[in-house]
Amino acid sequence: ILSSTGTVQLSDKSNKSMISSYYRRCVSTSANPAAWARNTLPGGFTSDGLINFCVLSNFGQESLEQLKSQEVRRRRRLLDDDTNQPYVDLFSKRISDECSDYLKSQASPSDTLARAFFGSMHFMPERMILTPIRLLSGESSSIPSSFQMNDRFLQWTVASKSPLEMIFSWQFSNVKGVTSVAFDPALQKAYHGNCINIPEEAFDKPLAANGKRFHIMYAKFLLDGMVKELPSTSTKI
């Protein structure tokens, strides 16, 4: 069942069937193999899709099902305004045939990606910093074997989940954002994206621009770590 927030809840057998269907239909789209997926998943393997999700869901903090239609229309109008758009990025890495086949064999590739993302050596320093804070709150520091809607790990909460994509929301003071991981079986690519409620134009200032460059380097570093953590992880250029 695909809700208005893009959440899919199916049995393992149904998930595998859906992934297979995704793959067949993506491949049959000649212009852009991922075009069909963009109409199915919240982030849809594009930065524009991730912005749409964030603006409509208040960066994963709210469900469209709980909003009045007037508020939904107001938020949709914000998407038509090119000014004051939030910062967004989306990076991808092509993976090997073996790794792609492994992900396609999983009931929920997005769970596999999320475990690889949070369990990678590249993420380890951040995890070591945040774990004591969460332990003081009485929360577990163990990475779940599977993530369900509203599950929390460290600072991240599952805001949307489908077999091929998972979006986590987070908030620190007045700054809100999302972190996404995804797998496109047609293009054999793994994705990592971020969207933050800071206007893109705010990064035009020199100091902020340096912070942005560091963030981009770190995001790509985390994507590399996620891919390396996956089984059969030899990658293709």
Side-chain angles (χ1 to χ4, degrees):
I1 300 173
L2 184 64
S3 72
S4 59
T5 58
T7 304
V8 178
Q9 293 182 333
L10 297 170
S11 66
D12 287 354
K13 182 177 181 181
S14 297
N15 274 353
K16 289 181 179 179
S17 176
M18 177 176 286
I19 293 166
S20 177
S21 175
Y22 282 174
Y23 180 68
R24 289 195 301 271
R25 295 182 66 174
C26 286
V27 169
S28 67
T29 307
S30 57
N32 185 342
W36 179 81
R38 284 204 295 273
N39 294 324
T40 305
L41 305 176
F45 312 142
T46 68
S47 56
D48 285 343
L50 200 54
I51 286 180
N52 289 351
F53 172 80
C54 288
V55 171
L56 293 176
S57 68
N58 188 21
F59 293 84
Q61 304 291 325
E62 300 169 352
S63 168
L64 289 179
E65 298 170 344
Q66 300 172 342
L67 299 178
K68 294 181 178 180
S69 57
Q70 182 179 1
E71 175 61 16
V72 174
R73 289 194 296 270
R74 186 191 71 82
R75 295 185 185 188
R76 290 190 185 281
R77 287 194 295 271
L78 293 176
L79 294 171
D80 297 328
D81 183 4
D82 291 335
T83 63
N84 208 37
Q85 289 294 306
Y87 170 80
V88 65
D89 60 48
L90 185 69
F91 305 103
S92 66
K93 193 176 188 70
R94 185 168 171 81
I95 59 178
S96 67
D97 294 341
E98 294 81 6
C99 188
S100 179
D101 289 342
Y102 173 80
L103 287 174
K104 284 187 285 187
S105 72
Q106 301 301 298
S108 176
S110 63
D111 276 305
T112 304
L113 289 173
R115 290 195 302 271
F117 182 84
F118 291 121
S120 74
M121 292 300 297
H122 289 198
F123 184 77
M124 183 60 69
E126 189 171 354
R127 184 179 177 187
M128 291 177 66
I129 293 172
L130 294 174
T131 293
I133 299 174
R134 304 319 308 173
L135 288 177
L136 290 175
S137 302
E139 298 180 16
S140 173
S141 62
S142 300
I143 301 175
S145 57
S146 64
F147 292 83
Q148 304 303 322
M149 282 296 296
N150 300 316
D151 278 357
R152 180 173 178 135
F153 177 71
L154 299 179
Q155 299 297 115
W156 291 265
T157 301
V158 179
S160 179
K161 178 183 179 181
S162 69
L164 297 180
E165 179 184 59
M166 199 176 306
I167 301 176
F168 296 87
S169 64
W170 56 266
Q171 182 169 359
F172 181 76
S173 188
N174 293 326
V175 180
K176 294 181 288 188
V178 302
T179 300
S180 71
V181 294
F183 166 57
D184 186 337
L187 299 180
Q188 289 189 198
K189 285 187 175 183
Y191 293 79
H192 167 48
N194 304 273
C195 190
I196 309 171
N197 70 334
I198 298 176
E200 176 68 39
E201 61 186 21
F203 293 96
D204 292 339
K205 299 178 180 179
L207 184 60
N210 288 334
K212 177 181 175 180
R213 281 192 288 271
F214 173 79
H215 165 78
I216 290 174
M217 291 175 56
Y218 184 59
K220 292 179 178 179
F221 178 72
L222 292 180
L223 172 63
D224 287 342
M226 178 179 73
V227 171
K228 289 179 180 178
E229 191 70 14
L230 293 169
S232 303
T233 55
S234 57
T235 60
K236 296 180 178 180
I237 299 175

